[in-house]
Amino acid sequence: MWLGPEEVLLAGALWVTERANPFFLLQRRRGHGKGGGLTGLLVGTLDVVLDSSARVAPYRILHQTQDSQVYWAVACGSSRKEITKHWEWLENNLLQTLSIFDNEEDITTFVKGKIHGIIAEENKNQQPQSEEDPGKFKEAELKMRKQFGMPEVEKLVNYYSCSYWKGRVPRQGWLYLTVNHLCFYSFLLGKEVTLVIQWVDVTQLEKNATLLFPECIKVSTRDGELFFSMFLNINETFKLMEQLANIAMRQLLDNESFLEDKSLPKPRKPLKNISALKRDLDARAKNECYRATFRLPKDECLDGHTDCTLWTPFNKMHIPGQMFVSNNYICFASKAEEACHLIIPLREVTIVEKADSSSVLPSPLSISTRSKMTFFFANLKDRDFLVQRISDFLQRTPSKKPCGSDREWKWNFGDPGCEEVPELPSSSPLAVSPTSALSNRPVNFCAGEVPTASQGLLKLFRRNSEELLGPKGAKEKMKEESWNIHFFEYGRGMCMYRTAKTRELVQKGIPENLRGELWLLFSGAWNEMVTHPGYYEDLVEKSMGKYNLATEEIERDLHRSMPEHPAFQNELGIAALRRVLTAYAFRNPTIGYCQAMNIVTSVLLLYCNEEEAFWLLVALCERMLPDYYNTRVVGALVDQGIFEELTREYLPQLSEKMQDLGVISTISLSWFLTLFLSVMPFESAVVIVDCFFYEGIKFILQVSLAILDANMEKLLQCCDEGEAMTILGRYLDNVVNRQSVSPPIPHLHALLTSGDDPPLEIDIFELIKTSYEKFSNLKADDIEQMRFKQRLKVIQSLEDTAKKSVVRAVSSDIGFSIEELEELYVVFKAKYLMSCYWGNNRAAAARRDQSLPYLEQYRIDMEQFKDLFISLTPWSCGTHTPVLAGRLFRLLDENRDSLINFKEFVTGMSGMYHGDFTEKLKVLYKLHLPPALSPEETESALEATSYFTEDVTTEVSPFVSELDFCLHCESQGQSLGYVHTLSTAITLILSASTSALFKILWICCHCPCLLILRL
């Protein structure tokens, strides 16, 4: 390619001149091509270590003048053909012109101007799609594509200098991390190392240090382990590798292939050697952390964050922390863990005002909300820019209508230092608790239906009120009073200050009257509900009367959902449960319905109305327990792996015993999927749910560890899995909540585990207290890190299971061995996946339906089959190979959907590899008949058939053999009937002599219809 002229002082250093004229030199890099000797080896090694551009462009053209010692590089090329083209252009277009000039400076000026003009002309036709990428990065991407044969669509994310340990010898080179591959290249004194690994093949990533290897990254695949070390910033590299591997796992799990975010804002300052794609991935990682920390909707994108302090009126202090600003929220997290968390939805903001700075309170900013709360931030580094960003987001925030009013409320921007919106009347739902606001909303889904549950079913089906008048009722009133005091001091609603005091109150149990409201707030479901008004009602109307597999499963499980509770012994509760589950199945068909969702949803309906229960279910399935409720319960298996890892760390004595008994895999699924609701008395399990909505999966893990710890001595003495399950079952059955005001609900599981001696009762609050005392050092960030590690292991294990299942399903009637089938499956799957991330659209990914059997999940189209056929087939017929591949594909495609599965694929391959002579000829025969023929070929064959009539046969003696008949027709220039000719040729091949076979070959060479038989 042409280069903007660059000055070169030493033209002969490390380069060999191959052509020369008075004005230009064509040079080749030493060590490139044949020969080179020791000098070439040293130069090649130097180029790799120093990441020289000569690796990707080993040819160049220099401009020179006779009396000047300075040379100018004007072109470079990756191949001799490319550089020769540039050289010939210069000779044909510039040499005669340059000979006219008398002044050498004028010659150089003319050449430089001409080259710049050529480059400008070429750039007109190029799309500036990667203009943000720095020049050095573009060069590295070209090297990557050339070195590893990657197509243009394969994007480089970043590259690092490092060493790959081959045995005990480190090979210094460059590690290239692309969206779909990990690549490494090294050239050291003539020894070349090239590695290409797909991220979907990675089974484990670890960062560790040993005596043999310094601080290094270990990449494990099914084929072995690779070690990379000597990184300049190993933490950054490892974090990026984790992120790319995680994207690959998402692709295997639910077809979420990577799509680059083109809407990223340009950086305020130019970033050196950081690609737009790397910025995109960094932004995604920050967004995920931000959303998880503050339980925000999945589409919320972080705009930026800054250090600041927050004035907390409950303790009269300025707490240091960070402010986070996104499209719809302003959030704050203190540096001291649990000191204070704050979430301010922009829909609640009425005033954003810059206050006067002072030495005590520099750069203060106050934000007021509709609920009459004002928040003071200070020590903001770039306050003016921050206020401007918040103003921009406020302008984009949708206007809201107060209840009972048709007037739109619009943002009013006056003074740039003060952003103000009209205040809502006191009747606004935003000024009161969420539950009380929505419980008054009239909802009518369909006339004639069972009445909608407009409030928690527990209020409608409370069987008696005796407990409310006794000591338990007094205790419940005290809890409510404690929460009211907390609301007075810390605020109520989404803008509440969340501190260690909040967690303490949750641990003591949420009062039943406040449970629905606080579940909505702590889970973040409230945010999604108020920003999607009418969404649930529309879903219910659309799903009404629709039937599919999910609705059938829902109907089957409706009466198994807490059948012992009176709320679900009548049609009101059952109908509400049906509507919520069906609406979610239509919202998220990928999940649809999974067992255990009915149990969780029925508990949600006890404390919330239908719409609230629906959005809590959304938060549960899509954010708090990701991938739990699908056909393969991947999320639950991932957290089961985390539980096993934590057991090894905190309970090492018990860990090995539990592994031997195989108990953890049994108990964890039932505990995690239903949040203990199916294994613990209801009034106790609901306290677990309280803590879960506040703490997340961290609490479920720590209380599970506390249960194992409490039963350690008994479990160590168990002889089998059944005995261990009985011990744990009895323990959980007797976890009681003595403070519950609801009458006890019979627990069916207790009847199966009751013994002769009455077991000791365990107070649920004591169990929770113990779990915090012993295992509270679990961190949410650490759990997310472990989730990534376990997700790799679980998904790869499921893929291995799928491979074995598919191979077992097809092995009985296929000629390949098990090992050969497994290798073919890997190739078949790789071709499918390649189309997902290298295709022009996502049609390939859309073809994979995980609800189908494993055999039907990966299917390829004709173009993919042709690629595999050309690389694998033993039948090679030159230019006719694509035709043969197309006909074989149509023959194998039995259901005519233009896709074939693995069984159909290996059936075709098996016939070619392992079929006997007769079977192979039968396949060839079928390839000349519909449906193997394309419509055009079929029409051509029918035209040929029309020439074959009974009149032709009368011209030949009835005693002539079929072979002579064929030869006669050909000699007369007449075309044979297509099918008759084909069947005759096949018959003769099976029975003819050697001389006859030569005659048949002659026919095949002259009959257009039998081109395939030239094999």
Side-chain angles (χ1 to χ4, degrees), residues 652-724:
Q653 294 178 330
L654 186 59
S655 175
E656 187 174 346
K657 182 71 174 180
M658 297 293 281
Q659 289 293 336
D660 293 339
L661 297 175
V663 174
I664 288 185
S665 60
T666 305
I667 62 174
S668 55
L669 287 180
S670 59
W671 293 3
F672 296 169
L673 278 171
T674 63
L675 303 175
F676 288 92
L677 289 166
S678 64
V679 295
M680 193 180 284
F682 167 75
E683 57 273 12
S684 302
V686 76
V687 182
I688 298 285
V689 178
D690 291 343
C691 297
F692 165 75
F693 277 124
Y694 188 78
E695 296 274 18
I697 192 62
K698 166 184 175 291
F699 175 76
I700 300 296
L701 291 168
Q702 75 181 34
V703 81
S704 300
L705 289 171
I707 292 170
L708 292 185
D709 183 55
N711 293 276
M712 183 183 296
E713 293 183 5
K714 295 180 180 178
L715 290 172
L716 288 173
Q717 297 173 5
C718 289
C719 299
D720 54 38
E721 179 186 1
E723 186 179 355

Side-chain angles (χ1 to χ4, degrees), residues 527-585:
N527 285 321
E528 293 183 281
M529 183 168 60
V530 297
T531 53
H532 295 83
Y535 178 84
Y536 172 69
E537 187 174 350
D538 292 342
L539 265 182
V540 172
E541 290 180 358
K542 290 177 183 177
S543 62
M544 202 80 71
K546 304 284 180 65
Y547 298 97
N548 53 31
L549 180 61
T551 57
E552 290 178 10
E553 293 177 346
I554 289 170
E555 288 297 327
R556 194 164 54 242
D557 287 348
L558 283 176
H559 294 279
R560 304 174 188 171
S561 309
M562 297 189 68
E564 64 276 9
H565 198 286
F568 299 98
Q569 294 171 356
N570 65 87
E571 192 55 30
L572 176 61
I574 294 296
L577 182 59
R578 177 188 293 113
R579 283 191 291 268
V580 173
L581 291 174
T582 304
Y584 185 79

Side-chain angles (χ1 to χ4, degrees), residues 40-51 187-191:
L41 294 178
L42 291 173
V43 173
T45 303
L46 195 64
D47 287 342
V48 171
V49 173
L50 299 180
D51 194 29
F187 181 87
L188 187 62
L189 298 178
K191 292 187 177 181

Side-chain angles (χ1 to χ4, degrees), residues 135-147:
K136 185 70 175 175
F137 185 87
K138 292 180 182 177
E139 187 179 297
E141 193 165 37
L142 285 174
K143 294 174 189 173
M144 180 272 297
R145 292 207 180 104
K146 179 191 174 188
Q147 192 66 55

Side-chain angles (χ1 to χ4, degrees), residues 760-1001:
L760 182 67
E761 290 186 343
I762 303 95
D763 185 77
I764 180 62
F765 298 106
E766 286 298 320
L767 176 61
I768 291 174
K769 181 180 177 182
T770 302
S771 74
Y772 275 101
E773 289 174 351
K774 292 187 175 183
F775 308 107
S776 62
N777 55 349
L778 286 177
K779 306 296 181 187
D781 292 342
D782 295 337
I783 291 173
E784 285 303 315
Q785 183 71 24
M786 286 189 283
R787 268 182 168 174
F788 161 76
K789 178 181 175 182
Q790 293 298 328
R791 190 178 294 118
L792 277 181
K793 187 183 299 184
V794 167
I795 293 179
Q796 295 293 12
S797 175
L798 290 172
E799 289 296 310
D800 289 342
T801 302
K803 179 174 69 174
K804 292 176 182 177
S805 175
V806 170
V807 168
R808 194 164 50 246
V810 303
S811 59
S812 58
D813 47 0
I814 298 296
F816 292 109
S817 66
I818 297 294
E819 293 74 17
E820 290 172 333
L821 284 172
E822 289 181 349
E823 291 179 5
L824 282 172
Y825 180 82
V826 170
V827 173
F828 184 86
K829 174 183 164 186
K831 176 58 66 176
Y832 166 83
L833 292 175
M834 208 170 290
S835 69
C836 292
Y837 49 72
W838 284 352
N840 295 326
N841 53 53
R842 295 200 59 203
R847 291 198 295 265
R848 188 184 178 200
D849 183 356
Q850 295 199 356
S851 64
L852 295 173
Y854 288 134
L855 185 60
E856 296 290 335
Q857 289 190 13
Y858 293 117
R859 296 184 294 168
I860 60 174
D861 58 24
M862 182 181 291
E863 293 304 316
Q864 295 167 302
F865 177 79
K866 285 182 178 180
D867 293 340
L868 290 177
F869 183 87
I870 292 171
S871 60
L872 296 175
T873 179
W875 291 357
S876 178
C877 50
T879 57
H880 300 297
T881 302
V883 178
L884 181 61
R887 291 191 182 184
L888 183 58
F889 179 86
R890 288 187 286 270
L891 182 64
L892 296 174
D893 183 18
E894 296 179 357
N895 59 358
R896 307 289 173 262
D897 62 351
S898 299
L899 298 169
I900 62 171
N901 60 31
F902 180 68
K903 184 174 182 179
E904 294 166 334
F905 170 73
V906 294
T907 299
M909 290 292 110
S910 179
M912 289 187 290
Y913 274 96
H914 298 288
D916 58 26
F917 191 58
T918 304
E919 291 175 347
K920 291 177 181 178
L921 287 174
K922 285 180 179 178
V923 172
L924 285 174
Y925 178 78
K926 292 179 180 179
L927 291 179
H928 290 72
L929 300 174
L933 298 178
S934 66
E936 296 80 11
E937 291 171 331
T938 303
E939 185 177 350
S940 175
L942 290 175
E943 290 178 359
T945 306
S946 66
Y947 287 99
F948 182 68
T949 64
E950 293 182 0
D951 296 335
V952 176
T953 61
T954 60
E955 301 175 7
V956 185
S957 170
F959 302 103
V960 177
S961 68
E962 291 193 351
L963 175 58
D964 291 333
F965 174 71
C966 294
L967 294 172
H968 172 77
C969 290
E970 288 299 324
S971 65
Q972 296 298 318
Q974 297 171 337
S975 299
L976 294 173
Y978 181 73
V979 177
H980 182 71
T981 305
L982 179 61
S983 60
T984 300
I986 295 293
T987 304
L988 292 172
I989 289 174
L990 289 173
S991 59
S993 62
T994 305
S995 60
L997 289 175
F998 280 110
K999 294 179 180 178
I1000 293 169
L1001 289 174

Side-chain angles (χ1 to χ4, degrees), residues 429-448:
L430 296 169
V432 294
S433 69
T435 308
S436 61
L438 290 179
S439 62
N440 296 324
R441 183 186 300 172
V443 182
N444 183 22
F445 295 120
C446 186

